[in-house]
Amino acid sequence: MLPTLRQLQYLKLLSEHGSFSRAAESAHVTQPTLSAGIQELEKILGAAVVDRARSGVILTAAGQEAVRRAQDILTRTEDLVQAARGAGLPLAGRFRLGVIPTVAPYLLPRALPLLRDRFPKLRLFLREDLTQRLIASLKAGALDAALIALPYDMSGLDWAHVEDDELLAAAPANHPMAASVRVDPASLAGDDLILLEDGHCLRDHALAACGLEAPKGFGDEESFAATSLPTLVQMIGSGLGISFLPAMAVQAGLTDNAAVTVRPLDHAHTSREIVVAWRAGSTRAAEGRLLAETLQAA
């Protein structure tokens, strides 16, 4: 005998909620039904998958391994269902797309109307988050694709190019670089450098593209860091330092009402690559490529 998909789903929900009652509620079944399904799964596997305690449910080693494999099976099964429903009708039905914060507000306003016009039956669910968490959700099957920026570790993923997004130098309006047409990053080495906080891939892209090191303050901690691009622009305009901004955001009006000077960099490879990524081997690969093509047109 083999486990059923329903039994694997019960186990996955049990691992997520840590409680039979909450897992049963999430599965829309009674607690005895879910408990019976777990017991039958244990008989089939020949090993206990959970330890029942007053504090809740704890997965055994066998249970943890079963959940890890069950997630992959359930994800591939869901891919199969979505592919069958959308056969001959690409980007129809539910599509879960993750987008990084340094892209979402600047590309999506142009892209969403085009997606709606070209694919009227598409039900797009958007999630904005940092690259690391989006990729983890992508690999776990919680997302169908993610709009992210390279370079990044893409092991286990495939992707399609959307655009190259140039990085621009940004400084207070009265900064000497305002007199230049292009700026050599080395000439900014003496300025205070402000970056997005750790976890934003744009931070690493800017440092790598310009050959700079992260700024250090007291106790090897950065003196200033920003949580978002709008905050970063306000800090630059207030005279706290210089930074690097994606051209995509500047073109969308990010610096229009700020006392900030923006100049292109006189340096090779000063751009990040925007891509649509999906799980390697996913049945939604063709839709990922189609989505990338549509975003290019936007």
Side-chain angles (χ1 to χ4, degrees), residues 75 78-79 82 91 93-98 122-125 134 137-147 157-158 276-280 282-285 287-288 291:
T75 295
E78 186 173 343
D79 280 350
Q82 292 294 334
L91 287 177
R94 185 185 68 172
F95 195 92
R96 301 162 299 177
L97 178 67
L122 171 66
R123 292 191 300 119
L124 188 64
F125 292 81
L134 290 182
S137 296
L138 194 56
K139 291 182 176 180
L143 292 175
D144 298 307
L147 186 60
L157 302 174
D158 290 329
V276 173
W278 57 87
R279 293 182 303 280
S282 171
T283 57
R284 312 208 76 170
E287 291 177 295
L291 178 60

Side-chain angles (χ1 to χ4, degrees), residues 14 64 77 109 112 118 149 163 177 182 188 213 215 252 269 283:
L14 199 55
Q64 291 174 356
T77 303
L112 292 179
R118 290 189 178 183
E163 70 171 297
M177 83 172 195
R182 303 184 72 85
L188 303 175
E213 293 185 359
H269 310 299
T283 57

Side-chain angles (χ1 to χ4, degrees), residues 195-209:
L195 297 169
L196 291 178
E197 63 182 349
D198 198 17
H200 285 271
C201 58
L202 180 60
R203 167 196 177 91
D204 298 327
H205 295 160
L207 290 172

Side-chain angles (χ1 to χ4, degrees), residues 60-84:
T60 64
Q64 291 174 356
E65 178 63 15
V67 166
R68 186 183 70 81
R69 294 175 181 270
Q71 287 177 331
D72 182 61
I73 293 169
L74 292 170
T75 295
R76 291 178 181 274
T77 303
E78 186 173 343
D79 280 350
L80 183 153
V81 172
Q82 292 294 334

